[in-house]
Amino acid sequence: MNEKRSHALGGQSWLSQSIHLTLLIVVTSLVFSNTLDNGYHLDSFHRVASNTEINTLWPPSKFFTDIRTGSTVPQIAEYRPIMPLSHAINSEISNATGTSKLAGFHVGNIAIHIGSTILIYFLFCLLLGNWREIPGSQSPTLHLSNQAFFAALIFAVHPIAGSAVNYIAGRDLLLMVFFLIASILVYFGMRRTGDTIFGWLFSLLLLSLAILSKQVAIVGFGLVFIFEWILVGVKLRDWRLWARTAMFAVPTAGYFLFRSLWIVHQNAEDPLRIFKGLVYPLTMLDAHLFYYMRNFVWPFEMRALAKVEMIESILSPTAVLGLIFILGTLIIAWMFRKRNPLVTFSILAYWLLFALTSSIFPFRYVVTDYRQYLPLVFLSLTLAILVSTLRHKILSAILLSSLALYFSVSSYYINTHWKTETSFWEQSVTYGAVALAHQNYGLAIVGKNPELAEFHYKEAIRQRPNHIYANINLGLLQVRMGKEAEGIRRLQKMVTLNPTWALSHYWLSEGLGIAGQKDEALKELLLAADLDPRSLKYQYEAASKLQKAGNLEEAILHFKRIIELNPNYKQTGFWLGFAYQKSGQSQNAIDTYNSFLEYKPDHVQAHFNLAYELMKVKHCDTAIDHFNKV
């Protein structure tokens, strides 16, 4: 390390560093302080709210061997074991402290984001202190540690970060960024002080954890390549460049190998969509400039499930402008490669980290706000460096402070959109959204405004005629509005189109029940329970209705399924004991009531039923004890 670099790195006192870290923690906490009672949205319902697998932490190995622990809906289950594991830890903490799980999940998200911000601050200090060359300038206009602070602060408070922090199921992205930044921070630091076996192993372990959080981290080896080539200055023909990159590709290869050999019940559904020709990459040219960069500058139109116009011709003006924008940033990066290689590195890193999710790979949803969360790291650094090149130190500080304040206020306001399902989806449909957003908004307002809900259900179906959720909700609404025949036909059509989905059978059962067709409704409910034996809701409703119908043997079967998954779910233990009691299985009834009373010791009817059954089998002394408790 030369003297200038040593000076730049050591110029940051422990006091300034402490002030910076304190401000990052306090400001970020304040910006997201109004998120703690924001509701569940999108996949958070399936991955968190109704996911009974995260109610208990043990055994932790289940999250690494069974993909179903990540979601109650098999069609969206993906192998991201660190996320449900972290949610299970959250649940254990909430159970131990008696606090709200919802607030606990939000606090967990904020804490992980703050942790990432701190790591990013140290990463920026490391990069600016060692690999930012400014020929002819011994002292930059704004101290390097202050540049690192402002860059980290912009990342921390920007509404793009808020799209991940507010989204409870966005925990996978938050964890991935945390572990990925930790991995490259260890590696970059090791490149400054010298290679060690521990440094290599620790860095690769952190990268593996990032990949197990969310697969986007498989591009980690690309960051190492750019770092070695642009900042360290290793020539492309040097074998060491490729060897180091190959070492960082090992976790990526290991992930795919592990996934194919060990994971049970993998989701076979392809998460990508099929587009004709160059439609998707041309659309991405438009989206990077007119959606993602607009969100960075003007975030108030950020929304879930945004609808964007698909671009079919390279001659489209927006696609041409998008291509010019991307090529222009790459040209700027190349021009800066000698004067300020860190700008070059940051620009290339930004595009690299966007490449997997927003380039030529056609994901189901064309644009998603939180995809920019990881690239935001290096976009923030690029912005801070460029503003800091202004000759006037005070002007640079004012501009960066103003940007941080602007993004902070924006985030605090935009957090309110996540408050309820109504506010969340109203934001989406106001600025243009896909079919699912319209059906979700309809579902959110159906109780207060059924006519408006019907309009949005029909808009969703206009966009996608066979949209299962929109058709189900419209069918149920039609049944409730007195259009029973039309509503039942719509629900039956969804069952025909999706015969293996428990969801379609369950909601047909609901519609039939509303229409008074109880026998048919029970038949469909039992089909739903058999198709998804891990759904506590389906099992409980099936068991309850079977018990009311006098079919105790089948009711017991479904109650036992629930007990195997979660013995304390609702009043399953009581009703199972009652079913045993009514069917003459006294000892099973006594054992079940006793187990239930360990969980609900003040349940009066359970004590009475248990006492009655104990009296029948001549255990009168014990029966008296329970009668006395009653």
Side-chain angles (χ1 to χ4, degrees):
M1 188 191 306
N2 61 36
E3 291 183 4
K4 183 170 69 175
R5 287 184 176 180
S6 298
H7 176 74
L9 183 65
Q12 181 185 15
S13 70
W14 67 268
L15 179 60
S16 65
Q17 186 179 83
S18 299
I19 293 172
H20 288 159
L21 292 175
T22 301
L23 286 173
L24 287 173
I25 294 170
V26 171
V27 173
T28 307
S29 299
L30 289 174
V31 166
F32 296 110
S33 62
N34 63 337
T35 68
L36 300 187
D37 61 347
N38 285 355
Y40 296 98
H41 304 290
L42 293 164
D43 290 348
S44 296
F45 289 106
H46 313 301
R47 299 189 189 278
V48 185
S50 61
N51 186 0
T52 58
E53 298 289 350
I54 65 172
N55 289 339
T56 56
L57 178 60
W58 301 100
S61 59
K62 66 182 179 181
F63 301 110
F64 294 88
T65 59
D66 191 345
I67 197 171
R68 296 173 301 180
T69 59
S71 172
T72 58
V73 177
Q75 287 75 17
I76 65 168
E78 296 176 86
Y79 188 62
R80 299 171 185 174
I82 305 297
M83 179 177 70
L85 174 62
S86 73
H87 282 141
I89 293 172
N90 257 137
S91 295
E92 292 285 350
I93 294 172
S94 296
N95 292 336
T97 59
T99 55
S100 163
K101 284 191 176 182
L102 176 61
F105 292 136
H106 282 299
V107 170
N109 276 17
I110 294 170
I112 295 168
H113 176 60
I114 290 175
S116 296
T117 299
I118 292 171
L119 292 176
I120 287 166
Y121 170 70
F122 284 123
L123 175 67
F124 290 169
C125 287
L126 180 68
L127 291 172
L128 287 163
N130 293 276
W131 290 287
R132 184 173 188 258
E133 297 287 357
I134 306 179
S137 175
Q138 294 297 321
S139 57
T141 56
L142 191 64
H143 194 281
L144 298 177
S145 66
N146 292 328
Q147 292 181 44
F149 166 70
F150 280 116
L153 182 61
I154 289 171
F155 166 82
V157 301
H158 199 285
I160 291 170
S163 66
V165 173
N166 276 283
Y167 185 28
I168 295 174
R171 176 73 64 87
D172 53 356
L173 181 59
L174 295 167
L175 288 165
M176 182 269 289
V177 170
F178 177 84
F179 288 120
L180 180 59
I181 296 300
S183 174
I184 62 172
L185 177 59
V186 171
Y187 179 77
F188 292 176
M190 182 176 63
R191 290 295 281 138
R192 182 177 66 85
T193 59
D195 287 357
T196 65
I197 294 177
F198 174 78
W200 270 103
L201 292 177
F202 191 37
S203 184
L204 293 175
L205 172 62
L206 289 168
L207 179 58
S208 300
L209 291 174
I211 294 172
L212 291 175
S213 299
K214 193 176 180 70
Q215 293 89 330
V216 176
I218 61 176
V219 301
F221 66 90
L223 282 175
V224 170
F225 178 88
I226 297 172
F227 170 78
E228 294 288 339
W229 177 38
I230 300 296
L231 296 184
V232 179
V234 182
K235 302 298 182 182
L236 289 175
R237 60 178 177 271
D238 192 326
W239 66 270
R240 287 170 293 188
L241 168 64
W242 301 99
R244 288 179 176 276
T245 303
M247 283 294 292
F248 255 76
V250 169
T252 298
Y255 163 77
F256 287 109
L257 180 64
F258 177 79
R259 189 177 190 276
S260 63
L261 294 178
W262 290 96
I263 304 167
V264 299
H265 299 291
Q266 293 187 57
N267 177 21
E269 185 184 33
D270 187 354
L272 304 181
R273 289 175 61 185
I274 298 175
F275 291 92
K276 294 180 180 179
L278 298 176
V279 169
Y280 191 84
L282 290 176
T283 303
M284 285 299 97
L285 294 177
D286 172 286
H288 277 297
L289 178 58
F290 294 102
Y291 188 83
Y292 288 118
M293 289 308 299
R294 184 205 64 202
N295 282 351
F296 181 75
V297 176
W298 181 256
F300 299 100
E301 294 183 20
M302 289 174 58
R303 59 199 183 274
L305 308 183
K307 183 177 177 61
V308 297
E309 181 182 353
M310 303 307 295
I311 307 299
E312 298 183 359
S313 171
I314 188 61
L315 299 179
S316 168
T318 56
V320 172
L321 289 173
L323 179 61
I324 292 172
F325 168 70
I326 294 174
L327 292 177
T329 60
L330 294 175
I331 291 171
I332 291 172
W334 188 249
M335 291 170 59
F336 269 87
R337 73 188 188 280
K338 292 182 178 179
R339 184 174 55 177
N340 195 327
L342 189 52
V343 170
T344 303
F345 170 78
S346 296
I347 293 174
L348 294 179
Y350 174 83
W351 290 119
L352 170 71
L353 297 176
F354 240 148
L356 196 60
T357 57
S358 301
S359 57
I360 61 173
F361 304 102
F363 282 79
R364 184 183 294 110
Y365 297 115
V366 179
V367 293
T368 303
D369 296 335
Y370 56 72
R371 286 179 190 162
Q372 201 174 5
Y373 178 63
L374 177 57
L376 178 65
V377 174
F378 293 101
L379 180 57
S380 301
L381 178 60
T382 304
L383 178 63
I385 293 174
L386 293 178
V387 172
S388 298
T389 58
L390 297 175
R391 291 184 178 275
H392 299 286
K393 177 180 177 180
I394 295 178
L395 179 60
S396 297
I398 290 174
L399 285 176
L400 289 171
S401 299
S402 299
L403 286 171
L405 178 61
Y406 165 63
F407 293 137
S408 296
V409 173
S410 302
S411 283
Y412 193 84
Y413 167 71
I414 292 171
N415 292 340
T416 61
H417 296 158
W418 294 76
K419 184 67 67 178
T420 65
E421 281 284 271
T422 300
S423 61
F424 183 77
W425 293 114
E426 184 177 20
Q427 170 74 4
S428 291
V429 299
T430 298
Y431 291 105
V434 299
L436 181 57
H438 284 278
Q439 92 84 29
N440 285 348
Y441 183 55
L443 186 62
I445 63 173
V446 68
K448 294 181 179 179
N449 194 336
E451 290 78 16
L452 183 59
E454 183 179 23
F455 169 82
H456 283 281
Y457 290 150
K458 288 183 176 179
E459 171 59 24
I461 294 169
R462 185 191 67 79
Q463 291 187 28
R464 286 183 58 192
N466 291 327
H467 193 289
I468 182 170
Y469 297 106
N471 276 285
I472 284 174
N473 286 304
L474 179 57
L476 290 170
L477 180 59
Q478 289 172 332
V479 172
R480 293 189 180 100
M481 294 173 72
K483 308 172 186 177
E484 294 181 358
E486 184 179 355
I488 295 298
R489 281 197 303 271
R490 189 177 296 277
L491 294 171
Q492 288 172 334
K493 179 183 177 183
M494 291 302 102
V495 168
T496 302
L497 293 174
N498 307 277
T500 61
W501 275 40
L503 183 87
S504 56
H505 290 279
Y506 175 79
W507 289 112
L508 174 56
S509 168
E510 287 289 299
L512 291 167
I514 296 169
Q517 302 179 38
K518 293 185 178 180
D519 291 340
E520 289 299 314
L522 180 57
K523 178 182 175 182
E524 293 297 329
L525 178 58
L526 293 176
L527 277 172
D530 287 336
L531 284 169
D532 188 1
R534 299 173 71 86
S535 170
L536 299 180
K537 177 181 178 180
Y538 297 169
Q539 303 306 321
Y540 193 82
E541 291 195 25
S544 299
K545 290 184 178 179
L546 285 167
Q547 192 170 46
K548 288 180 181 178
N551 192 337
L552 298 177
E553 185 176 345
E554 283 195 57
I556 288 170
L557 173 65
H558 290 282
F559 280 133
K560 287 172 70 175
R561 283 182 183 174
I562 300 171
I563 294 293
E564 290 175 1
L565 292 170
N566 184 353
N568 299 328
Y569 182 75
K570 293 188 175 181
Q571 297 196 78
T572 300
F574 171 77
W575 290 114
L576 177 58
F578 187 68
Y580 279 135
Q581 190 172 19
K582 295 291 286 184
S583 60
Q585 301 180 50
S586 294
Q587 192 56 52
N588 284 338
I590 291 169
D591 293 341
T592 304
Y593 281 135
N594 278 321
S595 297
F596 175 72
L597 287 169
E598 291 178 5
Y599 166 61
K600 290 276 191 180
D602 298 327
H603 196 283
V604 175
Q605 190 64 49
H607 280 292
F608 182 85
N609 290 6
L610 175 57
Y612 185 84
E613 203 64 22
L614 286 166
M615 187 175 63
K616 283 176 59 178
V617 297
K618 312 301 183 184
H619 292 171
C620 296
D621 291 342
T622 310
I624 289 170
D625 290 339
H626 287 281
F627 277 131
N628 285 331
K629 288 180 180 178
V630 174

